[in-house]
Structures are given as structure tokens and as C-alpha cells.
Amino acid sequence: MGLVGKVPPHLGNLSFLVDLDFRNSSFHGILPSELSCLNQLKLINCGFNNLTGDIPSWLGSLPKLAFLSLRGNGFSVETIRLTDNQLSGSIPKEFGNLKLLKELYLDSNKIEG
């Protein structure tokens, strides 16, 4: 889309937004906490931007979120908590590429070893 700059916090006012897709743009900085107000979101795709910082914990509070792509950014990840979900299958091998990862919580899922 060719969007440039920081992700506008005012997007958090779009309460009926279902899809937030700004992949392949030139956003930088963090994902603003105001986006946590978007309770109808089913999809967030902010892949291939220049976003940095921690992956926001408020992403876990979006009740309808079914698809999340953060790939191709500069996020730092030390802890991933996916406890008490309905995840199944095996652990993706890409988790081994997270050099800063210190803790991974997958309790109460159907993950294979």
C-alpha cells in the first residue's frame, strides 16, 4: 500500500474494524495500545514493515482474533504465552530462530513434542 510513518493510534477509534491489513508498508515504531480497543478484529497482518519493540501483550485480549502475522519486522520476543488455547499439532521449528526467547508457555493445549 505504500503507507509510511507510525501506525496511527486513532485507528483504535474504528470500533467495527474487522480486518487490519497493512503488510508490505513502511510503518516503523511500535503497535499503539489504542488498537486494543478493536474488539471486532479477526485479522491483523502487519508483516514486512519496520515495527520494533515488544510484541504487545494486549493482542491476547482481542476476543475474535483468528489470524495474526507479525513476520518480517524487528520485534523482540523474550516470552511467548499460548497457555489455555486450543492449539494442536507440533511446535513450529521457526521458534528455534527466536534468539531472544527465554520462556515459551504452551500448557493446556494439544501440542505434540
Side-chain angles (χ1 to χ4, degrees):
M1 299 182 90
L3 301 174
V4 179
K6 294 187 177 190
V7 177
H10 302 297
L11 288 175
N13 295 331
L14 302 174
S15 60
F16 292 104
L17 194 64
V18 175
D19 292 347
L20 182 59
D21 188 346
F22 53 84
R23 67 180 176 258
N24 298 319
S25 292
S26 295
F27 282 116
H28 63 273
I30 63 168
L31 287 174
S33 61
E34 289 84 354
L35 298 181
S36 66
C37 298
L38 300 175
N39 292 324
Q40 301 301 313
L41 274 182
K42 294 181 181 178
L43 176 144
I44 298 175
N45 189 346
C46 56
F48 300 102
N49 281 274
N50 296 305
L51 300 170
T52 57
D54 294 333
I55 294 175
S57 60
W58 54 258
L59 286 169
S61 67
L62 297 173
K64 297 184 178 184
L65 189 63
F67 180 88
L68 172 65
S69 177
L70 303 174
R71 66 186 289 207
N73 284 285
F75 287 111
S76 58
V77 180
E78 291 185 6
T79 302
I80 296 176
R81 292 183 192 269
L82 298 170
T83 304
D84 297 318
N85 283 284
Q86 297 175 359
L87 302 175
S88 63
S90 58
I91 298 171
K93 63 182 176 184
E94 290 81 9
F95 274 17
N97 295 333
L98 298 173
K99 295 178 182 14
L100 297 176
L101 186 65
K102 295 178 182 174
E103 300 174 298
L104 174 61
Y105 298 95
L106 297 168
D107 306 42
S108 300
N109 284 290
K110 298 175 183 175
I111 303 292
E112 300 170 9

